[in-house]
Amino acid sequence: AMATNPMLLLSSPHTRTIARDTSLDPKAAAKALSRYWECREAMFGNAAFSEGVFSQPTHADFVRYYDRCLRVSSDPVVEEASRSLAAEFVRCVNQAKIDALDQITTLASAKDAEELWDAQKRAPDLANTDEIKLQFLKCEEFVEVKAAIRMMKYWKLKYMLFGKEVACQRMVLGDMISGDERLLKLGVQRIMPGSDESGRCIFVISSAMLLDQDWDDDHLLRALWYAIHLAMERESCKKNGLVIIINHRGTSLEILGRYPRETTQVMLVSAMPLKICAAHMLIEPSTWWQMMFATTISFVTRLLKMRTMCHSNTEEKPTSTLGRFGIPRDQLPHELGGEAKIEHWCQWLEQHRDFSL
């Protein structure tokens, strides 16, 4: 059966039914599935394995099969022949998708792709490597059109924030403009030291940290750009994605009115090559906040809407609220009652002054 349909264990309804019936016990499910196909062959002979009896795999099945092959290709426990076959499948998929992505970006309009084309000429190591293209493809589950759009938005936004000369150079923390570095160390946008219970990187945005501070949109957005790239370099983010906590409690209406929400949203949701697995927004319990949340959420994708939670119950401690979603206290910032202090963030930044993006 698996020779006829390599994605049998991913797309077959029999597999899912047997897995549920055996309470997701791998050994019991494997025995039951083997017995099922043995009985099926006894009843129907070779017809039991004809292509017509298998359900057509979905795009999600193909993505899961790719992920499984990627794991198998580097698993020392798996026999060498299986590792080689898995590695060859991954290589073929990667090359086919990269070629398709290149074709789309080449044929795109100058209005959309001008910055990307320029960056690929000026800095091919930053904009035109297979590794970078795969980051965008994996972020969009190998839908090349979506990956191309994200890649073009990335470079359009980077040129807007840094200018073409700086955007095409490798930047390190030590080279940042003083205003950018000051806001970065202020902790308005920062990474928590570890991960949540699912192994995902945690990224926090706290607008209240801007109270009584001198800032503007450009400095804030460039600091966010750098912080997000630091997060993307973490293995927890590469493998499992990002959880974002947006804390708007204790801030002022003036700051919220000035805060570049739209550009921040484009950067996080539409431009960066990363997967946002969940978003938690902490707001005050008021009609104004509810309207603001409704406006913000209306611009995100349907999938991200399903992964976004709005918390307005100020009677419950944030540590308890977010703890129910697998985010422990030691991975929450101090302004939310957690143990992660600004000093630790600043120390970590100093240790990564030579990190380039």
Short mmCIF file of all heavy atoms in Angstrom, two decimals, residues 17-64:
data_model
loop_
_atom_site.label_atom_id
_atom_site.label_comp_id
_atom_site.label_asym_id
_atom_site.label_seq_id
_atom_site.Cartn_x
_atom_site.Cartn_y
_atom_site.Cartn_z
N THR A 17 -8.36 6.92 11.32
CA THR A 17 -9.38 6.19 12.10
C THR A 17 -8.74 5.19 13.04
O THR A 17 -9.09 5.12 14.23
CB THR A 17 -10.35 5.46 11.15
OG1 THR A 17 -10.98 6.41 10.30
CG2 THR A 17 -11.42 4.71 11.94
N ILE A 18 -7.78 4.43 12.53
CA ILE A 18 -7.10 3.43 13.35
C ILE A 18 -6.31 4.10 14.47
O ILE A 18 -6.28 3.62 15.61
CB ILE A 18 -6.20 2.54 12.49
CG1 ILE A 18 -7.06 1.63 11.61
CG2 ILE A 18 -5.24 1.72 13.34
CD1 ILE A 18 -6.29 0.84 10.58
N ALA A 19 -5.67 5.23 14.16
CA ALA A 19 -4.91 5.95 15.19
C ALA A 19 -5.82 6.39 16.33
O ALA A 19 -5.47 6.27 17.52
CB ALA A 19 -4.21 7.15 14.57
N ARG A 20 -7.00 6.90 15.98
CA ARG A 20 -7.95 7.31 17.03
C ARG A 20 -8.47 6.11 17.81
O ARG A 20 -8.58 6.16 19.04
CB ARG A 20 -9.12 8.08 16.40
CG ARG A 20 -8.77 9.49 15.93
CD ARG A 20 -10.03 10.29 15.65
NE ARG A 20 -10.80 9.71 14.55
CZ ARG A 20 -10.67 10.09 13.29
NH1 ARG A 20 -9.80 11.04 12.97
NH2 ARG A 20 -11.39 9.52 12.33
N ASP A 21 -8.77 5.02 17.10
CA ASP A 21 -9.32 3.84 17.77
C ASP A 21 -8.33 3.19 18.72
O ASP A 21 -8.73 2.49 19.67
CB ASP A 21 -9.77 2.81 16.72
CG ASP A 21 -11.01 3.27 15.96
OD1 ASP A 21 -11.64 4.24 16.42
OD2 ASP A 21 -11.31 2.67 14.91
N THR A 22 -7.05 3.39 18.49
CA THR A 22 -6.02 2.82 19.37
C THR A 22 -5.48 3.85 20.35
O THR A 22 -4.39 3.67 20.91
CB THR A 22 -4.86 2.25 18.53
OG1 THR A 22 -4.38 3.28 17.64
CG2 THR A 22 -5.31 1.05 17.70
N SER A 23 -6.24 4.92 20.54
CA SER A 23 -5.86 5.98 21.51
C SER A 23 -4.48 6.56 21.21
O SER A 23 -3.72 6.88 22.13
CB SER A 23 -5.92 5.44 22.94
OG SER A 23 -7.22 4.97 23.24
N LEU A 24 -4.15 6.66 19.92
CA LEU A 24 -2.89 7.25 19.45
C LEU A 24 -1.65 6.51 19.97
O LEU A 24 -0.58 7.08 20.12
CB LEU A 24 -2.81 8.74 19.85
CG LEU A 24 -3.94 9.62 19.32
CD1 LEU A 24 -3.73 11.07 19.76
CD2 LEU A 24 -4.02 9.56 17.79
N ASP A 25 -1.82 5.21 20.24
CA ASP A 25 -0.68 4.38 20.64
C ASP A 25 0.04 3.94 19.36
O ASP A 25 -0.52 3.19 18.55
CB ASP A 25 -1.17 3.15 21.41
CG ASP A 25 -0.02 2.28 21.90
OD1 ASP A 25 0.88 1.97 21.10
OD2 ASP A 25 -0.02 1.93 23.10
N PRO A 26 1.29 4.36 19.13
CA PRO A 26 1.98 4.08 17.86
C PRO A 26 2.11 2.59 17.55
O PRO A 26 1.84 2.16 16.43
CB PRO A 26 3.36 4.73 18.05
CG PRO A 26 3.19 5.72 19.15
CD PRO A 26 2.12 5.17 20.05
N LYS A 27 2.51 1.79 18.54
CA LYS A 27 2.72 0.37 18.30
C LYS A 27 1.40 -0.34 17.99
O LYS A 27 1.31 -1.14 17.04
CB LYS A 27 3.40 -0.28 19.51
CG LYS A 27 4.83 0.17 19.71
CD LYS A 27 5.48 -0.57 20.87
CE LYS A 27 6.93 -0.15 21.05
NZ LYS A 27 7.57 -0.85 22.20
N ALA A 28 0.38 -0.01 18.77
CA ALA A 28 -0.93 -0.65 18.55
C ALA A 28 -1.51 -0.22 17.20
O ALA A 28 -2.10 -1.04 16.47
CB ALA A 28 -1.89 -0.27 19.69
N ALA A 29 -1.33 1.03 16.85
CA ALA A 29 -1.84 1.53 15.57
C ALA A 29 -1.11 0.87 14.40
O ALA A 29 -1.73 0.52 13.39
CB ALA A 29 -1.71 3.04 15.50
N ALA A 30 0.21 0.69 14.53
CA ALA A 30 0.99 0.07 13.46
C ALA A 30 0.54 -1.38 13.23
O ALA A 30 0.39 -1.82 12.09
CB ALA A 30 2.47 0.11 13.81
N LYS A 31 0.31 -2.09 14.32
CA LYS A 31 -0.15 -3.49 14.19
C LYS A 31 -1.54 -3.54 13.56
O LYS A 31 -1.81 -4.37 12.68
CB LYS A 31 -0.18 -4.15 15.56
CG LYS A 31 1.20 -4.43 16.14
CD LYS A 31 1.08 -5.11 17.50
CE LYS A 31 2.46 -5.41 18.09
NZ LYS A 31 2.36 -6.06 19.43
N ALA A 32 -2.43 -2.66 14.00
CA ALA A 32 -3.79 -2.66 13.47
C ALA A 32 -3.81 -2.28 11.99
O ALA A 32 -4.56 -2.86 11.19
CB ALA A 32 -4.65 -1.68 14.28
N LEU A 33 -2.96 -1.33 11.60
CA LEU A 33 -2.91 -0.90 10.21
C LEU A 33 -2.35 -2.01 9.33
O LEU A 33 -2.84 -2.26 8.22
CB LEU A 33 -2.06 0.37 10.09
CG LEU A 33 -2.11 1.11 8.74
CD1 LEU A 33 -3.53 1.58 8.44
CD2 LEU A 33 -1.16 2.30 8.75
N SER A 34 -1.32 -2.70 9.81
CA SER A 34 -0.75 -3.82 9.06
C SER A 34 -1.79 -4.92 8.88
O SER A 34 -1.92 -5.50 7.79
CB SER A 34 0.47 -4.38 9.79
OG SER A 34 1.49 -3.42 9.88
N ARG A 35 -2.53 -5.19 9.94
CA ARG A 35 -3.58 -6.21 9.88
C ARG A 35 -4.68 -5.80 8.90
O ARG A 35 -5.20 -6.64 8.15
CB ARG A 35 -4.17 -6.42 11.28
CG ARG A 35 -5.28 -7.46 11.36
CD ARG A 35 -4.80 -8.83 10.95
NE ARG A 35 -5.85 -9.83 11.06
CZ ARG A 35 -5.82 -11.01 10.47
NH1 ARG A 35 -4.76 -11.36 9.73
NH2 ARG A 35 -6.82 -11.87 10.61
N TYR A 36 -5.02 -4.53 8.87
CA TYR A 36 -6.06 -4.04 7.97
C TYR A 36 -5.68 -4.31 6.52
O TYR A 36 -6.47 -4.85 5.73
CB TYR A 36 -6.28 -2.54 8.19
CG TYR A 36 -7.12 -1.88 7.11
CD1 TYR A 36 -8.51 -1.95 7.16
CD2 TYR A 36 -6.52 -1.22 6.04
CE1 TYR A 36 -9.29 -1.38 6.14
CE2 TYR A 36 -7.28 -0.65 5.03
CZ TYR A 36 -8.66 -0.73 5.09
OH TYR A 36 -9.42 -0.18 4.09
N TRP A 37 -4.45 -3.95 6.13
CA TRP A 37 -4.04 -4.12 4.74
C TRP A 37 -3.81 -5.60 4.40
O TRP A 37 -4.00 -6.03 3.26
CB TRP A 37 -2.80 -3.29 4.44
CG TRP A 37 -3.15 -1.83 4.32
CD1 TRP A 37 -2.96 -0.85 5.25
CD2 TRP A 37 -3.81 -1.22 3.21
NE1 TRP A 37 -3.46 0.35 4.80
CE2 TRP A 37 -3.99 0.15 3.54
CE3 TRP A 37 -4.27 -1.69 1.98
CZ2 TRP A 37 -4.60 1.04 2.68
CZ3 TRP A 37 -4.87 -0.80 1.11
CH2 TRP A 37 -5.05 0.55 1.46
N GLU A 38 -3.44 -6.40 5.40
CA GLU A 38 -3.30 -7.83 5.17
C GLU A 38 -4.67 -8.45 4.84
O GLU A 38 -4.80 -9.24 3.89
CB GLU A 38 -2.72 -8.48 6.43
CG GLU A 38 -2.45 -9.98 6.28
CD GLU A 38 -1.89 -10.59 7.55
OE1 GLU A 38 -1.87 -9.90 8.59
OE2 GLU A 38 -1.49 -11.77 7.51
N CYS A 39 -5.68 -8.06 5.62
CA CYS A 39 -7.03 -8.57 5.37
C CYS A 39 -7.58 -8.05 4.04
O CYS A 39 -8.28 -8.78 3.32
CB CYS A 39 -7.97 -8.17 6.52
SG CYS A 39 -7.58 -8.95 8.10
N ARG A 40 -7.26 -6.80 3.73
CA ARG A 40 -7.74 -6.21 2.48
C ARG A 40 -7.16 -6.95 1.28
O ARG A 40 -7.85 -7.22 0.29
CB ARG A 40 -7.38 -4.74 2.44
CG ARG A 40 -7.95 -4.01 1.23
CD ARG A 40 -7.80 -2.52 1.39
NE ARG A 40 -8.38 -1.84 0.25
CZ ARG A 40 -9.11 -0.74 0.32
NH1 ARG A 40 -9.37 -0.21 1.50
NH2 ARG A 40 -9.60 -0.19 -0.77
N GLU A 41 -5.88 -7.31 1.35
CA GLU A 41 -5.25 -8.05 0.26
C GLU A 41 -5.85 -9.44 0.14
O GLU A 41 -6.06 -9.95 -0.97
CB GLU A 41 -3.74 -8.16 0.50
CG GLU A 41 -3.01 -8.87 -0.63
CD GLU A 41 -1.53 -9.04 -0.35
OE1 GLU A 41 -1.17 -9.12 0.84
OE2 GLU A 41 -0.76 -9.10 -1.32
N ALA A 42 -6.15 -10.07 1.27
CA ALA A 42 -6.74 -11.41 1.25
C ALA A 42 -8.11 -11.40 0.56
O ALA A 42 -8.48 -12.36 -0.12
CB ALA A 42 -6.88 -11.94 2.67
N MET A 43 -8.85 -10.30 0.71
CA MET A 43 -10.19 -10.21 0.14
C MET A 43 -10.17 -9.79 -1.33
O MET A 43 -10.93 -10.31 -2.16
CB MET A 43 -11.03 -9.21 0.93
CG MET A 43 -11.36 -9.68 2.34
SD MET A 43 -12.34 -8.45 3.25
CE MET A 43 -13.84 -8.43 2.28
N PHE A 44 -9.31 -8.83 -1.70
CA PHE A 44 -9.37 -8.23 -3.04
C PHE A 44 -8.14 -8.51 -3.91
O PHE A 44 -8.13 -8.13 -5.08
CB PHE A 44 -9.54 -6.71 -2.92
CG PHE A 44 -10.77 -6.30 -2.17
CD1 PHE A 44 -10.67 -5.80 -0.88
CD2 PHE A 44 -12.03 -6.42 -2.75
CE1 PHE A 44 -11.80 -5.41 -0.17
CE2 PHE A 44 -13.17 -6.03 -2.05
CZ PHE A 44 -13.05 -5.53 -0.76
N GLY A 45 -7.12 -9.13 -3.37
CA GLY A 45 -5.92 -9.39 -4.15
C GLY A 45 -5.21 -8.09 -4.49
O GLY A 45 -5.21 -7.13 -3.71
N ASN A 46 -4.60 -8.02 -5.68
CA ASN A 46 -3.87 -6.81 -6.09
C ASN A 46 -4.77 -5.59 -6.22
O ASN A 46 -4.29 -4.45 -6.15
CB ASN A 46 -3.15 -7.07 -7.42
CG ASN A 46 -1.98 -8.02 -7.26
OD1 ASN A 46 -1.42 -8.14 -6.16
ND2 ASN A 46 -1.62 -8.72 -8.33
N ALA A 47 -6.06 -5.84 -6.41
CA ALA A 47 -6.99 -4.70 -6.53
C ALA A 47 -7.05 -3.89 -5.24
O ALA A 47 -7.46 -2.73 -5.24
CB ALA A 47 -8.39 -5.20 -6.88
N ALA A 48 -6.62 -4.49 -4.15
CA ALA A 48 -6.62 -3.78 -2.86
C ALA A 48 -5.67 -2.59 -2.88
O ALA A 48 -5.81 -1.67 -2.06
CB ALA A 48 -6.23 -4.74 -1.73
N PHE A 49 -4.71 -2.63 -3.81
CA PHE A 49 -3.69 -1.57 -3.84
C PHE A 49 -3.80 -0.69 -5.08
O PHE A 49 -2.87 0.07 -5.38
CB PHE A 49 -2.30 -2.19 -3.79
CG PHE A 49 -2.12 -3.18 -2.67
CD1 PHE A 49 -1.96 -4.54 -2.93
CD2 PHE A 49 -2.17 -2.76 -1.34
CE1 PHE A 49 -1.80 -5.44 -1.90
CE2 PHE A 49 -2.02 -3.66 -0.31
CZ PHE A 49 -1.84 -5.00 -0.58
N SER A 50 -4.90 -0.78 -5.81
CA SER A 50 -5.06 0.06 -6.99
C SER A 50 -5.18 1.52 -6.59
O SER A 50 -5.67 1.85 -5.50
CB SER A 50 -6.30 -0.37 -7.79
OG SER A 50 -7.46 -0.25 -6.99
N GLU A 51 -4.73 2.41 -7.46
CA GLU A 51 -4.67 3.84 -7.12
C GLU A 51 -6.04 4.42 -6.81
O GLU A 51 -6.17 5.35 -6.02
CB GLU A 51 -4.02 4.62 -8.27
CG GLU A 51 -2.54 4.27 -8.46
CD GLU A 51 -1.89 5.15 -9.49
OE1 GLU A 51 -2.54 6.13 -9.93
OE2 GLU A 51 -0.74 4.88 -9.87
N GLY A 52 -7.08 3.86 -7.40
CA GLY A 52 -8.41 4.41 -7.20
C GLY A 52 -8.94 4.29 -5.78
O GLY A 52 -9.87 4.99 -5.40
N VAL A 53 -8.34 3.39 -4.97
CA VAL A 53 -8.87 3.20 -3.62
C VAL A 53 -8.28 4.20 -2.63
O VAL A 53 -8.73 4.27 -1.49
CB VAL A 53 -8.59 1.76 -3.11
CG1 VAL A 53 -9.12 0.74 -4.07
CG2 VAL A 53 -7.09 1.55 -2.86
N PHE A 54 -7.29 4.96 -3.06
CA PHE A 54 -6.64 5.90 -2.15
C PHE A 54 -7.22 7.30 -2.34
O PHE A 54 -7.44 7.74 -3.46
CB PHE A 54 -5.13 5.94 -2.38
CG PHE A 54 -4.46 4.62 -2.14
CD1 PHE A 54 -4.06 3.83 -3.21
CD2 PHE A 54 -4.24 4.18 -0.85
CE1 PHE A 54 -3.44 2.62 -2.99
CE2 PHE A 54 -3.60 2.95 -0.63
CZ PHE A 54 -3.21 2.16 -1.70
N SER A 55 -7.44 7.97 -1.25
CA SER A 55 -7.89 9.36 -1.34
C SER A 55 -6.75 10.23 -1.84
O SER A 55 -5.58 9.96 -1.55
CB SER A 55 -8.37 9.86 0.02
OG SER A 55 -7.33 9.78 0.97
N GLN A 56 -7.08 11.27 -2.59
CA GLN A 56 -6.05 12.16 -3.12
C GLN A 56 -5.45 13.01 -1.99
O GLN A 56 -6.18 13.60 -1.21
CB GLN A 56 -6.64 13.08 -4.19
CG GLN A 56 -7.03 12.35 -5.47
CD GLN A 56 -5.82 11.72 -6.14
OE1 GLN A 56 -4.78 12.34 -6.29
NE2 GLN A 56 -5.97 10.45 -6.55
N PRO A 57 -4.13 13.04 -1.89
CA PRO A 57 -3.51 13.85 -0.83
C PRO A 57 -3.75 15.33 -1.05
O PRO A 57 -3.78 15.81 -2.19
CB PRO A 57 -2.02 13.51 -0.93
CG PRO A 57 -1.84 13.01 -2.33
CD PRO A 57 -3.12 12.33 -2.70
N THR A 58 -3.92 16.05 0.03
CA THR A 58 -4.10 17.50 -0.04
C THR A 58 -2.74 18.20 -0.01
O THR A 58 -1.69 17.56 0.19
CB THR A 58 -4.94 17.99 1.15
OG1 THR A 58 -4.21 17.74 2.38
CG2 THR A 58 -6.28 17.27 1.22
N HIS A 59 -2.76 19.51 -0.19
CA HIS A 59 -1.51 20.28 -0.10
C HIS A 59 -0.89 20.11 1.28
O HIS A 59 0.34 19.97 1.40
CB HIS A 59 -1.79 21.76 -0.37
CG HIS A 59 -0.57 22.61 -0.27
ND1 HIS A 59 0.40 22.67 -1.24
CD2 HIS A 59 -0.13 23.43 0.73
CE1 HIS A 59 1.37 23.48 -0.87
NE2 HIS A 59 1.08 23.97 0.32
N ALA A 60 -1.73 20.10 2.32
CA ALA A 60 -1.21 19.92 3.68
C ALA A 60 -0.54 18.56 3.84
O ALA A 60 0.46 18.44 4.57
CB ALA A 60 -2.35 20.07 4.69
N ASP A 61 -1.06 17.53 3.17
CA ASP A 61 -0.43 16.20 3.22
C ASP A 61 0.96 16.24 2.60
O ASP A 61 1.91 15.64 3.12
CB ASP A 61 -1.29 15.17 2.49
CG ASP A 61 -2.61 14.91 3.18
OD1 ASP A 61 -2.66 15.00 4.42
OD2 ASP A 61 -3.61 14.63 2.47
N PHE A 62 1.09 16.94 1.47
CA PHE A 62 2.39 17.07 0.82
C PHE A 62 3.39 17.78 1.73
O PHE A 62 4.56 17.40 1.82
CB PHE A 62 2.26 17.82 -0.50
CG PHE A 62 1.77 16.97 -1.64
CD1 PHE A 62 0.48 17.09 -2.11
CD2 PHE A 62 2.62 16.03 -2.23
CE1 PHE A 62 0.03 16.31 -3.16
CE2 PHE A 62 2.17 15.23 -3.28
CZ PHE A 62 0.88 15.37 -3.74
N VAL A 63 2.93 18.83 2.41
CA VAL A 63 3.81 19.57 3.31
C VAL A 63 4.26 18.68 4.47
O VAL A 63 5.44 18.69 4.85
CB VAL A 63 3.11 20.84 3.85
CG1 VAL A 63 3.96 21.51 4.92
CG2 VAL A 63 2.85 21.82 2.70
N ARG A 64 3.32 17.91 5.02
CA ARG A 64 3.68 16.99 6.12
C ARG A 64 4.66 15.92 5.64
O ARG A 64 5.58 15.54 6.37
CB ARG A 64 2.43 16.35 6.71
CG ARG A 64 1.61 17.28 7.59
CD ARG A 64 0.62 16.50 8.43
NE ARG A 64 -0.42 15.89 7.61
CZ ARG A 64 -1.56 16.49 7.30
NH1 ARG A 64 -1.80 17.72 7.75
NH2 ARG A 64 -2.47 15.88 6.57
#
